[in-house]
Amino acid sequence: MPNNFKRKLSRSIGTSLTQVGSYAVGSSTEVTVIGLDIANTSSSQVLVDATLNDGSNDTYLIKEAPIPSGGSLVVIGGDQKVVLEPTDSIKVKSDTASSVDVVMSILEIT
């Protein structure tokens, strides 16, 4: 099984839960999220949510976490990893329109 490191990007996420990089795990793929970074691009503090979606339900990884203007939040990284199964995805939203950028780093095993 080949291992592939990949990154998925989403820019200007706002007030709707948005699938990071339009990425959902394929049917014959195993994925470990090794990094999830959220940057506040607005001029004021924002509150962000990040969820793991299993294809039908969202489970919070973090809820209403504050990020100051120009700041960032590492939701997944360091010792913490998250395993995704087929059809899973990571979604992010902010309390402010077009206010956060997201970088998700993954290890994909196919």
Side-chain angles (χ1 to χ4, degrees), residues 1-107:
M1 296 179 120
N3 297 334
N4 298 301
F5 288 99
K6 295 185 175 184
R7 67 174 162 76
K8 302 299 176 182
L9 309 172
S10 289
R11 299 185 71 189
S12 300
I13 290 177
T15 57
S16 298
L17 273 175
T18 301
Q19 193 175 64
V20 177
S22 299
Y23 180 78
V25 179
S27 62
S28 61
T29 305
E30 299 172 11
V31 171
T32 301
V33 180
I34 57 177
L36 181 65
D37 301 294
I38 304 172
N40 180 353
T41 59
S42 76
S43 59
S44 59
Q45 176 177 288
V46 296
L47 301 176
V48 297
D49 297 343
T51 66
L52 188 158
N53 180 278
D54 65 3
S56 56
N57 298 300
D58 289 302
T59 302
Y60 285 98
L61 297 168
I62 195 156
K63 183 169 174 47
E64 297 180 357
I67 304 176
S69 175
S72 65
L73 174 67
V74 177
V75 179
I76 301 168
D79 291 335
Q80 181 188 4
K81 312 293 184 268
V82 173
V83 173
L84 301 181
E85 297 179 349
T87 73
D88 286 355
S89 63
I90 300 291
K91 295 182 177 181
V92 172
K93 80 170 190 169
S94 171
D95 68 343
T96 304
S98 302
S99 60
V100 297
D101 289 352
V102 180
V103 177
M104 180 172 69
S105 300
I106 62 172
L107 173 60

